[in-house]
């Protein structure tokens, strides 16, 4: 059967594919250390699991309103008020099957064919694909390590054309852990106002910010203009260790939320009813497990950064949030290893896997061919072992 051009051009998600590959190799008995996982390794907190069990026992197993239950949308509004100082009504919230689905709904709803979306790079792998699926064109704005991978307003403005429809802000970011402060966001919001652009603010890592003095600021909270041109994307996957439950949400101006809801009502209907009950329990329940996880990630961040700093041939900007570090492996590129040419970070990753059983995500799908992404959503012991293997690989294959 012929696959149409639109579908044929979609690439599989490399983050998901490599995470699956690492699990498969491990299941086959290999002693794999995987830095791929874009998901917390903790169990979903007990009170959340209990809420799901009760939902099942109480027969909460039918269709819900397509955009999510009233109680969950109200809880999301209360969360947005409490954490972000934002006033939304339930009609402005669409609950979907993960934040990824919310992003799809958002881009499908606002992009016409050929519209451009300014996408600060390095960017999360799925942005470019989702924008393309929705008929748009991602326009990467390349930042650099020396500037901490931050896109400033000037850089963003230079990427704007007559076709630009939206700017993505992802703070804290995947894969570099960049956190934008209020002033930086205000300058970007001014640009959005000047060119009448939507702001897609992906805040899924909001609860994972490590350093004192840094806080999460939602771009929508800056002023009324920013609020009216923002679609906030968030969810429970990362904050509450609920990646498999598939609950994300968007908060948007009323007409945009209604259009996204209409789209969802035909595409998927409501997200899983039991998972919605669990997400409700997450949002209204005890926040202590979230803070415990943040502290664990902070300590892991320190462990992995120390190991990277001690390893010759690689460097990285210290992530301020999320649970990834984007590592420059440019000095490892060139020459060959075991007869294999090393032309980019994907080749470095392949050699690391074959020699040391370490799985990492090559940077090309994040916009940078000479970088790899290491997730530190694994135990400190695994981080230590994995970094020892990377050190060993470098000392055996290179002379620094
Ligand atoms: N945004 C970013 C930046 C992410 O890293 C992820 C990770 N999967 C998502 C959105 C989507 O999260 P989910 O669909 O699991 O809610
Ligand atoms: N967002 C995570 C990651 O970047 C999970 C996998 C995915 O959805 O891409 O690894």
């Amino acid at each position: 059967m012929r696959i149409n051009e639109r579908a044929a051009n979609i690439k599989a998600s490399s983050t998901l594919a490599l995470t699956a590959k690492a699990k498969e190799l491990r299941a086959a008995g290999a002693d794999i250390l995987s830095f791929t996982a874009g998901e917390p390794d903790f169990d979903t907190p007990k009170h959340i699991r209990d809420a799901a069990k009760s939902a099942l026992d109480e027969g909460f197993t039918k269709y819900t309103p397509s955009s999510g239950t009233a109680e969950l949308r109200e809880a999301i509004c209360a969360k947005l008020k409490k954490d972000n100082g934002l006033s939304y009504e339930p009609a402005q919230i669409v609950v979907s099957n993960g934040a990824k689905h919310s992003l799809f709904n958002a881009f499908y709803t606002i992009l016409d064919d050929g519209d451009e979306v300014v996408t600060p790079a390095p960017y999360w792998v799925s942005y470019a694909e989702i924008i393309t699926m929705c008929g748009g064109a991602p326009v990467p704005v390349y930042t650099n390590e020396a500037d901490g991978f931050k896109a400033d307003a000037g850089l963003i403005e230079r990427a704007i054309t007559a076709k630009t429809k939206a700017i993505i802000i992802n703070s804290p970011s995947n894969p570099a852990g960049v956190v934008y402060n209020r002033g930086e966001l205000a300058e970007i919001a001014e640009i959005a106002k000047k060119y009448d652009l939507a702001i897609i603010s992906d805040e899924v890592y909001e609860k994972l910010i490590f350093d004192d003095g840094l806080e999460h600021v939602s771009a929508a909270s800056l002023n009324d203009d920013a609020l009216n041109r923002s679609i906030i994307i968030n969810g429970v996957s990362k904050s509450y260790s609920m990646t498999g439950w598939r609950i994300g949400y968007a908060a948007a101006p009323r007409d945009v939320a209604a259009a996204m809801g209409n789209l969802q009502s035909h595409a998927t209907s409501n997200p899983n009813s039991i998972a919605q009950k669990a997400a409700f329990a997450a949002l209204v329940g005890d926040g202590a497990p979230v803070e415990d996880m943040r502290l664990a990630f902070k300590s892991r961040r320190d462990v992995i950064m120390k190991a990277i700093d001690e390893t010759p041939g690689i460097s990285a900007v210290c992530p301020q949030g999320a649970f990834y570090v984007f590592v420059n492996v440019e000095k490892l590129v060139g020459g060959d290893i075991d007869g294999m040419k090393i032309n980019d970070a994907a080749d470095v990753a392949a050699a690391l896997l074959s020699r040391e059983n370490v799985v990492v995500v090559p940077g090309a799908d994040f916009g940078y061919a000479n970088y790899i992404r290491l997730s530190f959503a694994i135990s400190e012991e695994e981080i230590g072992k994995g970094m020892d293997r990377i050190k060993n690989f470098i000392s055996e294959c290179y002379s620094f």
Side-chain angles (χ1 to χ4, degrees), residues 196-240:
D196 192 19
L197 307 175
I199 297 171
I200 307 297
S201 183
D202 182 342
E203 304 180 12
V204 298
Y205 296 103
E206 140 185 63
K207 300 283 185 196
L208 296 173
I209 293 183
F210 305 129
D211 299 312
D212 293 343
L214 285 178
E215 53 163 357
H216 172 73
V217 177
S218 171
S221 70
L222 294 165
N223 51 52
D224 280 351
D225 180 80
L227 176 67
N228 292 330
R229 57 179 71 256
S230 291
I231 304 179
I232 296 179
I233 306 291
N234 208 331
V236 295
S237 289
K238 315 288 172 170
S239 308
Y240 299 93

Side-chain angles (χ1 to χ4, degrees), residues 81-99:
K81 182 92 205 156
K82 178 164 154 272
D83 294 351
N84 313 107
L86 290 163
S87 295
Y88 282 98
E89 290 171 10
Q92 296 179 275
I93 309 296
V94 180
V95 185
S96 300
N97 298 290

Side-chain angles (χ1 to χ4, degrees), residues 18-30:
L18 283 162
T19 305
K21 181 172 178 181
K23 283 183 184 162
E24 204 180 288
L25 290 170
R26 194 174 281 147

Side-chain angles (χ1 to χ4, degrees), residues 17 24 30 49 59 65 71 84 96 126 137 143 151 162 168 172 186 196 223 229 255 277 281-282 303 333-334 339 376:
E24 204 180 288
R49 288 181 274 136
E71 82 171 0
N84 313 107
S96 300
S126 289
T143 60
I168 297 182
D196 192 19
N223 51 52
R229 57 179 71 256
D255 53 343
K277 282 281 186 192
V303 169
V333 171
F376 48 90

